[in-house]
Amino acid sequence: MDSLLGSGEDLSVIQMGFRAFIMFMVALFLVRLGGIRILGRKSGVDFVIIIMLGSVLARGIVGASPFLSTVSAGFVMIIINKILSQVSVRLPYLGSLVKGRPAVLYKNGKIRWDQMDRLGVSRTDLLTSLRLETNSMHLDEVDVAFMEPNGRISFILKDKL
């Protein structure tokens, strides 16, 4: 009975499976080395690392790039991320530059339309986040609303007397 795959293809499938297994273990190690922060708060830097790491390691799985080169590139990206994180803690200006700053969307009873437009946030987006984050439907209960660097909208509620 003929094999569905040719003998050269059998070896290729086995090799790709082995590469995928090894690369999974490498990726897991790199994520652990990079720290849980990569998977937690997801700033712009974290998304860049996740996308680039996935892209580079995938090249190693399919054999589009030499295996050790892709592993090496993954290590470099994680080390750069760790260095940026450590330097950002010590130099807040760099942290703001790399990760971004929160933007005020609502304050003193007024929607800051300039910020909303700049960030592409609609009134519906603001109210949806208000409901999800605070279980409230009324902006008059909010002191300040921020668009955080991770893309979430956070709310500081007014003190209830």
Side-chain angles (χ1 to χ4, degrees):
M1 181 173 196
D2 289 333
S3 172
L4 293 175
L5 302 172
S7 61
E9 228 174 307
D10 286 337
L11 185 57
S12 176
V13 168
I14 292 168
Q15 182 182 23
M16 188 177 284
F18 182 71
R19 283 174 165 257
F21 173 76
I22 296 297
M23 201 57 80
F24 176 83
M25 299 308 282
V26 167
L28 185 60
F29 174 76
L30 290 175
V31 167
R32 298 289 295 157
L33 178 68
I36 195 69
R37 184 189 167 297
I38 290 176
L39 299 175
R41 294 180 300 201
K42 289 194 185 68
S43 68
V45 173
D46 298 322
F47 276 114
V48 168
I49 291 293
I50 290 167
I51 291 167
M52 287 182 64
L53 189 60
S55 176
V56 167
L57 297 183
R59 293 184 63 78
I61 291 171
V62 299
S65 296
F67 190 79
L68 290 178
S69 297
T70 59
V71 171
S72 169
F75 273 105
V76 168
M77 285 187 286
I78 293 299
I79 297 303
I80 289 170
N81 188 42
K82 294 279 286 182
I83 290 169
L84 278 175
S85 295
Q86 294 298 315
V87 172
S88 293
V89 168
R90 288 169 180 74
L91 302 172
Y93 175 76
L94 181 64
S96 295
L97 184 66
V98 171
K99 297 175 189 172
R101 295 176 162 196
V104 176
L105 301 178
Y106 178 86
K107 188 174 184 177
N108 298 327
K110 295 182 180 166
I111 294 176
R112 303 268 317 268
W113 290 109
D114 58 328
Q115 295 296 325
M116 300 272 286
D117 289 340
R118 182 177 72 82
L119 296 167
V121 178
S122 70
R123 179 179 173 85
T124 302
D125 296 333
L126 183 64
L127 294 175
T128 299
S129 289
L130 177 65
R131 288 189 304 275
L132 291 172
E133 298 294 325
T134 68
N135 293 322
S136 175
M137 295 180 60
H138 306 287
L139 281 171
D140 58 355
E141 297 175 16
V142 174
D143 188 29
V144 184
F146 297 97
M147 171 65 83
E148 301 294 346
N150 67 2
R152 290 187 66 177
I153 299 175
S154 65
F155 300 89
I156 307 296
L157 299 177
K158 291 179 181 176
D159 289 331
K160 293 183 180 179
L161 298 176

